[in-house]
Amino acid sequence: VQLQASGGGLVPPGGSLRLSCEASGSILSVNTMNWYRQAPGKQREMVAGITSSGTSANSASVKGRVTISRDNASNTVYLQMNSLKPEDTAIYYCNLRNFRSDSDWRDYWGHGTQVTVSS
């Protein structure tokens, strides 16, 4: 599985960005597509995730400001981020988790896209 993320950039506080990530390869019918981020000096954290059936969840740090969506036809996941804050500055990574069963999964990662929120 390969993941190609795009859409990062420099945005002023209060601005918006839309990240995209297209997956290709051996994608199983049961999967989740997720966005993580890692700020300098901090651990990678999950931002939002969405299952292949469309159930989504966001982390508390971005709740109300972020919407995750996906297009199963093109295996693409989107992250719409609004009201961005300087603390949202990080490298954002796309992740796909393929599930063979509830206890058998494998993670795949994209290279990441830089989001910088600054005036």
Side-chain angles (χ1 to χ4, degrees):
V1 175
Q2 295 80 43
L3 299 165
Q4 183 64 48
S6 61
L10 173 64
V11 62
S16 298
L17 274 179
R18 188 191 196 208
L19 306 183
S20 301
C21 176
E22 182 177 3
S24 60
S26 300
I27 301 165
L28 302 181
S29 60
V30 179
N31 64 74
T32 60
M33 296 189 79
N34 312 293
W35 287 98
Y36 286 74
R37 67 184 181 186
Q38 187 166 19
K42 294 188 176 182
Q43 288 191 331
R44 190 174 296 190
E45 64 170 352
M46 188 172 181
V47 178
I50 186 166
T51 68
S52 44
S53 59
T55 301
S56 64
N58 298 341
S59 73
S61 62
V62 299
K63 196 173 284 292
R65 302 187 296 119
V66 161
T67 301
I68 188 169
S69 60
R70 65 185 288 168
D71 176 8
N72 287 336
S74 62
N75 295 314
T76 301
V77 63
Y78 304 96
L79 189 70
Q80 176 68 44
M81 301 188 292
N82 302 320
S83 303
L84 283 162
K85 305 175 182 179
E87 51 263 43
D88 294 317
T89 296
I91 299 175
Y92 284 69
Y93 295 92
C94 177
N95 161 270
L96 183 142
R97 177 168 287 186
N98 266 341
F99 284 88
R100 296 184 184 276
S101 70
D102 286 348
S103 59
D104 182 10
W105 67 81
R106 182 172 179 179
D107 280 331
Y108 301 87
W109 295 91
H111 290 297
T113 183
Q114 177 71 48
V115 171
T116 302
V117 184
S118 175
S119 55

